Amino acid sequence: MNYEFTIIVPVYNEEANLQRVEQELSNYLKIAAKKTKILFVNDGSKDKSQQLIEEICMNNSDFNFIQFQQNCGLSAAITAGFKNTDTELVGYIDSDLQTAPEDFNLLLAQIGEYDLVTGVRANRKDTFVKNMSSTIANGIRRAFTHDGMDDTGCPLKVIKTEYAKKIPMFKGLHRFLPAMILLQNGKIKQIPVQHFPRIAGEAKYGLWNRLIGPLIDCFAYLWMKKKYINYKIAKIN
């Protein structure tokens, strides 16, 4: 099918959202700036998510899935998606659809000269506590990484796959994707995207894993930055 872009959709207990995910992504495929396919990564859901995912994939040839044996976390789901991508570009969106699939076209329009383009959630429709903890966490990450990004937790990104596959991902480090591209001497950019309140299902992040956990992860990033191996091959015989 000559696909150019793969959208990874991590899923963990999102049965209440998956019908809308199918509809919204199917609508996006009709207007996508690149020939696009969808890859669900079921992170060990305990509800009926897998059943719904298989039905969606059976009815839509542009949809595929990976199912984990057990819950491994968002970083693992994104990593599995990267490793199972065979298109030039890869991106991801959360299955709660608090961001809009059509905004992928805004990111794709910029990816030519950049290696990662990430959204910045404009006019966030979250609670005060969630917004404040995210603002603090992003400020701490910027101080550690110097990546200049205002909203690394935005679940709408496009990455050149050759860069995505080289990211040494660890649990929690999905929040550091722009910084990990910089480690590869890549170029990054952020642009505003739409944001919506969660309509169904339950949020998977609380104060601990939105604020305290990422602070600890910053030290893991600093260790990785010091040890990171980066090279480009000049010639092969």
Side-chain angles (χ1 to χ4, degrees):
M1 295 293 291
N2 297 318
Y3 291 107
E4 302 169 280
F5 180 41
T6 299
I7 298 176
I8 299 166
V9 185
V11 176
Y12 181 61
N13 294 341
E14 292 286 1
E15 63 178 7
N17 278 310
L18 285 172
Q19 184 175 6
R20 190 164 63 96
V21 169
E22 177 185 17
Q23 179 179 352
E24 292 292 327
L25 287 175
S26 295
N27 290 339
Y28 172 69
L29 292 180
K30 299 173 184 177
I31 63 167
K34 303 281 187 181
K35 180 61 177 176
T36 302
K37 60 181 176 179
I38 312 300
L39 178 60
F40 289 109
V41 182
N42 184 2
D43 184 21
S45 296
K46 297 177 175 62
D47 60 2
K48 295 181 180 179
S49 290
Q50 182 59 27
Q51 176 184 335
L52 294 172
I53 288 171
E54 293 187 21
E55 291 175 0
I56 291 170
C57 293
M58 185 178 300
N59 295 326
N60 301 274
S61 60
D62 296 320
F63 288 67
N64 298 281
F65 72 86
I66 298 170
Q67 181 186 17
F68 285 178
Q69 289 185 345
Q70 60 188 20
N71 177 242
C72 297
L74 181 56
S75 292
I78 293 172
T79 301
F82 287 167
K83 290 184 176 180
N84 286 275
T85 294
D86 57 6
T87 53
E88 180 183 0
L89 299 172
V90 61
Y92 76 88
I93 186 171
D94 278 356
S95 50
D96 59 16
L97 287 185
Q98 287 192 255
T99 49
E102 59 263 30
D103 283 349
F104 272 120
N105 283 351
L106 300 176
L107 308 187
L108 290 169
Q110 302 292 327
I111 195 63
E113 60 178 302
Y114 295 93
D115 304 302
L116 174 147
V117 182
T118 181
V120 178
R121 291 168 285 191
N123 301 315
R124 286 187 65 174
K125 303 300 190 296
D126 286 323
T127 65
F128 173 81
V129 172
K130 187 174 182 179
N131 285 336
M132 184 57 64
S133 59
S134 292
T135 299
I136 295 172
N138 278 304
I140 293 172
R141 277 193 293 272
R142 279 197 305 273
F144 276 80
T145 64
H146 304 289
D147 61 11
M149 298 289 103
D150 297 315
D151 186 14
T152 59
C154 178
L156 199 73
K157 291 178 172 63
V158 174
I159 312 172
K160 290 181 178 174
T161 302
E162 62 177 307
Y163 283 82
K165 288 182 178 290
K166 294 178 184 177
I167 295 174
M169 191 78 82
F170 293 87
K171 184 176 291 187
L173 289 186
H174 60 273
R175 304 178 184 91
F176 294 78
L177 291 179
M180 304 306 277
I181 299 300
L182 290 179
L183 285 184
Q184 301 179 50
N185 297 320
K187 296 176 64 178
I188 61 177
K189 184 175 183 177
Q190 59 181 1
I191 59 176
V193 296
Q194 302 173 81
H195 190 249
F196 307 93
R198 176 183 269 272
I199 295 176
E202 296 181 359
K204 308 303 186 295
Y205 290 90
L207 182 61
W208 167 261
N209 51 18
R210 191 180 296 115
L211 184 57
I212 308 301
L215 173 60
I216 297 172
D217 292 339
C218 286
F219 294 97
Y221 166 78
L222 289 181
W223 176 88
M224 186 181 306
K225 181 178 181 180
K226 183 177 181 180
K227 302 291 185 179
Y228 186 74
I229 297 173
N230 189 37
Y231 64 89
K232 290 187 177 179
I233 296 174
K235 185 184 292 185
I236 296 178
N237 183 354

